[in-house]
Amino acid sequence: MSELRNAVDPVRSTVSTATDHVVRAARTLSAGVGLAGWVLFWSRVVEAHYSQGDLVSAAFTTTVFVLPAIGALLWYVARSLDVDAIPTRVDVNAIGS
């Protein structure tokens, strides 16, 4: 019985690891597709406002709905790739002298 248990544990570990990778990839893909769809939809709304000559609504929609979503998409991609875009601490000695 212990031989069977010893044979099953590595398989469980491998399946668990593979499942974690698939879930992480699916979550990243769904977030990216969702944000891209959001940006595409609101970009079309901006295009409709612009084509009608309503520049104030086009600028408002771009500022409120499109630019934050693009920023969120870039942040999420950078976070998922472990890119340190913003330094977490400032070296005070490098600033002075």
Side-chain angles (χ1 to χ4, degrees), residues 32-82:
V33 168
L35 281 171
W38 176 272
V39 168
L40 181 63
F41 172 77
W42 286 107
S43 295
R44 293 291 189 175
V45 172
V46 169
E47 183 180 349
H49 287 304
Y50 185 76
S51 68
Q52 295 173 358
D54 189 3
L55 300 179
V56 173
S57 294
F60 176 79
T61 304
T62 300
T63 304
V64 172
F65 296 108
V66 177
L67 295 178
I70 290 172
L73 182 63
L74 292 174
W75 174 81
Y76 189 77
V77 168
R79 183 173 171 240
S80 65
L81 295 175
D82 292 330

Side-chain angles (χ1 to χ4, degrees), residues 14-28:
T14 302
V15 169
S16 176
T17 303
T19 304
D20 287 342
H21 288 303
V22 168
V23 167
R24 185 176 296 152
R27 185 175 36 221
T28 301

